[in-house]
Amino acid sequence: AEPIVYDDLFDSFTFKKTGDGWKLIHLHESNKEPDISDPVKFFSKIEDEWSDAIYRKDAKVLDRIYADEYIYIDPKGNVINKQQNINEVVNSVFKVLTPMKISDINVRMYGTVAVLTGIETSTFTYNGIKTSGSQDFMDIFTYRDGRWQCILTQYIQKPEK
């Protein structure tokens, strides 16, 4: 019997029929890449949805945007994971006072990985301390399970002028 090849967005599998059934004889990563004609427009929409979810304290949207291994690095170098980040946003620790403004987005595509940089401007309180201003950010997304998921965010406080 001829081998059967199954190819999806991520992987290619080749199966061969044996006396006991089917046996996997080859697995390799697919060269297919998600087709995004305008990466800045595409990821700006995700960033806007993300900012809105933070403003509205929408844990469900954050859970969908963040990969399971998501890591957030704040401007002081503190590192927290996905669940810690969602908890801080949803609970009273972090409160956005005005909708976040995302600007100057730059996107670099590397197959199923996208690296975004930009500027986020907002007014918020963290542990009751009010902060206002702009921060540079970097988000790294990977395309997995049929959707783009953020695996890392890092913020750097812009110096005051």
Side-chain angles (χ1 to χ4, degrees):
E2 287 292 312
I4 294 178
V5 176
Y6 171 76
D7 192 26
D8 66 16
L9 185 61
F10 302 106
D11 302 298
S12 178
F13 307 90
T14 304
F15 297 93
K16 185 175 183 180
K17 187 153 177 91
T18 65
D20 298 334
W22 291 93
K23 180 179 178 184
L24 177 65
I25 59 171
H26 184 72
L27 165 66
H28 70 272
E29 197 172 309
S30 176
N31 293 327
K32 293 181 183 178
E33 298 177 7
D35 183 26
I36 299 175
S37 60
D38 186 344
V40 171
K41 183 177 180 182
F42 180 86
F43 284 102
S44 291
K45 184 177 176 184
I46 292 174
E47 292 286 339
D48 288 344
E49 179 184 20
W50 186 353
S51 296
D52 185 57
I54 291 171
Y55 184 69
R56 293 182 298 103
K57 298 182 171 285
D58 189 334
K60 193 172 188 175
V61 171
L62 296 175
D63 185 60
R64 180 175 45 81
I65 291 172
Y66 298 162
D68 288 340
E69 70 273 24
Y70 176 76
I71 295 292
Y72 173 84
I73 305 169
D74 75 15
K76 294 179 181 176
N78 298 308
V79 178
I80 61 174
N81 66 30
K82 173 182 180 171
Q83 198 55 56
Q84 290 168 319
N85 180 270
I86 291 172
N87 289 345
E88 283 191 358
V89 169
V90 172
N91 297 325
S92 59
V93 173
F94 180 78
K95 183 177 181 184
V96 177
L97 304 176
T98 59
M100 297 174 166
K101 181 183 174 220
I102 305 294
S103 61
D104 298 340
I105 290 181
N106 184 2
V107 180
R108 300 252 193 255
M109 299 291 298
Y110 304 97
T112 58
V113 174
V115 178
L116 282 65
T117 57
I119 299 172
E120 178 252 300
T121 304
S122 63
T123 302
F124 61 91
T125 61
Y126 185 80
N127 284 330
I129 300 169
K130 186 176 178 180
T131 304
S132 180
S134 296
Q135 303 178 86
D136 291 320
F137 71 87
M138 176 178 61
D139 290 326
I140 301 176
F141 284 84
T142 187
Y143 190 82
R144 186 187 310 146
D145 299 331
R147 63 189 171 89
W148 287 96
Q149 302 173 45
C150 189
I151 58 174
L152 181 128
T153 296
Q154 181 172 12
Y155 274 92
I156 299 169
Q157 190 70 43
K158 292 187 83 55
E160 296 198 21
K161 296 180 181 180

